[in-house]
Amino acid sequence: MIEHLDGIHETVTYKENSSLRLFVNTDCEDYPIHWHTPMEIIMPLEGTYTVFLGDKPVLLQEGDIIFICPGILHSLVAPENGKRIILQIEWSVVSKIRDLNSILALISPVLTLTPQTAPDIYSDIYHLICQILSEYEEDSFLSEAVIYARMLDILSLIGRYQAFASCRFDAGPQKQKEYLDRFLSICNYIDEHCTEDLSLDQVAKTAGFSKYHFTRLFKQFTNTTYYKYLNRKRIDHAMLLLSDPDIPVTEAALQSGFSSLSTFLRVFRSVKQCTPTEFRDMYIHPEKQQKNP
């Protein structure tokens, strides 16, 4: 359930003295387009469940697991009958751990795991989520610490699996490991400095590669270009600024690292399928949100 929705921004009500929230949802209720700062994990226990990313549906079958990254616009459509685990966990608690932010680059905007798509890790992650549910319901001494420990296990499994499954570095095993470590660090660096003037030449030099070698390897690692990756991080930052009606759109663009308003408008529409003004209008006036078909 969504308890506090300000426009399209959900303020998650965590469990008391906690930074996470978990519930077994059986409501036949659709949730409008929204975003929030915690990561959200949904796993149907009975029946199906549909997650919309914009107008693109992701149909979850019983036992499928979806990870929705922080700040991603999404909506939810429930069937008449069903049951699903919904876990919202504050990302900032673990975001300072080395390499974890880079995992977001590997799974953003969402990652769906099924026994068919991830046979090597699905069973382990399924059982870890069940352990999290048990700890949450028992609410015993150090339960939250145990839950975050299980969550770190999940993220580590996903990070290693996604990194090695998606990366196709043209190199031997030792170089693969070296490149993986180096590009995880580079993604962390970009995440932390995305609002600054980060040229391709500068970041390639920081990584220790020529611009052309870096460009090829970065695309192999992230499955996107350097500037598309950088712009996505800048748009995520801009979304937070646009939620404040007192910050002009031009100022949000400049504070997010864009040198011109026209570039910001073009990139924002490309990433979020709406203009910054439309996004802000949805944030401030929830009645103007479009319903999914």
Side-chain angles (χ1 to χ4, degrees):
M1 68 189 77
I2 297 179
E3 295 179 342
H4 303 288
L5 189 63
D6 182 8
I8 58 174
H9 177 223
E10 178 190 3
T11 301
V12 175
T13 304
Y14 296 120
K15 190 175 185 178
E16 187 176 0
N17 299 319
S18 173
S19 55
L20 51 88
R21 179 190 189 215
L22 186 151
F23 56 100
V24 177
N25 178 280
T26 58
D27 296 336
C28 177
E29 180 180 2
D30 298 343
Y31 300 121
I33 191 166
H34 63 285
W35 65 277
H36 40 67
T37 57
M39 172 177 280
E40 184 165 1
I41 302 169
I42 302 173
M43 185 174 78
L45 299 174
E46 298 173 8
T48 62
Y49 204 55
T50 303
V51 177
F52 275 87
L53 303 175
D55 60 358
K56 181 181 178 182
V58 178
L59 177 63
L60 301 177
Q61 301 292 340
E62 188 173 308
D64 291 350
I65 308 166
I66 191 168
F67 296 80
I68 305 172
C69 290
I72 298 300
L73 285 167
H74 62 285
S75 56
L76 307 170
V77 177
E80 291 185 4
N81 298 293
K83 179 190 296 186
R84 74 286 310 180
I85 294 173
I86 299 180
L87 169 65
Q88 294 171 313
I89 186 163
E90 182 56 48
W91 183 259
S92 63
V93 175
V94 297
S95 63
K96 298 303 181 182
I97 298 177
R98 182 178 179 266
D99 295 340
L100 278 187
N101 265 342
S102 298
I103 292 176
L104 292 182
L106 299 174
I107 67 177
S108 183
V110 301
L111 173 69
T112 305
L113 298 180
T114 73
Q116 293 74 36
T117 61
D120 296 337
I121 62 171
Y122 171 83
S123 179
D124 289 339
I125 290 177
Y126 177 89
H127 290 297
L128 285 166
I129 291 176
C130 291
Q131 290 175 35
I132 287 175
L133 174 61
S134 177
E135 281 290 341
Y136 190 90
E137 290 179 338
E138 289 178 10
D139 196 22
S140 58
F141 179 59
L142 292 179
S143 277
E144 182 161 348
V146 172
I147 289 172
Y148 268 99
R150 299 293 175 266
M151 192 65 205
L152 289 175
D153 287 338
I154 290 172
L155 293 172
S156 298
L157 285 169
I158 290 174
R160 287 179 172 176
Y161 180 80
Q162 285 295 103
F164 287 104
S166 62
C167 292
R168 295 292 183 268
F169 289 127
D170 184 16
Q174 189 57 40
K175 275 292 183 183
Q176 288 266 358
K177 173 65 166 59
E178 177 189 332
Y179 286 169
L180 180 58
D181 288 342
R182 200 180 304 188
F183 277 88
L184 282 171
S185 296
I186 284 298
C187 285
N188 280 333
Y189 178 81
I190 296 170
D191 295 348
E192 293 172 1
H193 299 274
C194 64
T195 61
E196 302 172 14
D197 182 16
L198 290 183
S199 69
L200 175 59
D201 287 334
Q202 173 193 343
V203 176
K205 184 177 180 180
T206 300
F209 294 106
S210 70
K211 179 173 71 173
Y212 302 102
H213 196 196
F214 174 83
T215 299
R216 181 170 61 85
L217 293 176
F218 191 87
K219 178 68 179 292
Q220 291 175 357
F221 180 65
T222 63
N223 200 34
T224 190
T225 67
Y226 166 73
Y227 280 111
K228 284 184 178 179
Y229 179 89
L230 175 62
N231 282 336
R232 281 208 307 261
K233 295 299 177 181
R234 287 174 169 173
I235 293 302
D236 288 344
H237 183 78
M239 285 173 57
L240 296 175
L241 298 177
L242 290 168
S243 65
D244 183 345
D246 294 329
I247 298 179
V249 171
T250 301
E251 186 63 27
L254 295 175
Q255 288 189 31
S256 300
F258 291 94
S259 58
S260 72
L261 180 60
S262 61
T263 300
F264 175 61
L265 295 176
R266 174 176 54 80
V267 173
F268 196 98
R269 176 178 283 278
S270 174
V271 173
K272 295 298 179 184
Q273 290 77 53
C274 65
T275 68
T277 301
E278 289 169 343
F279 173 83
R280 171 171 278 170
D281 200 35
M282 285 191 296
Y283 184 96
I284 297 172
H285 301 289
E287 71 277 4
K288 294 187 178 182
Q289 295 176 42
Q290 294 183 348
K291 294 183 179 179
N292 290 310

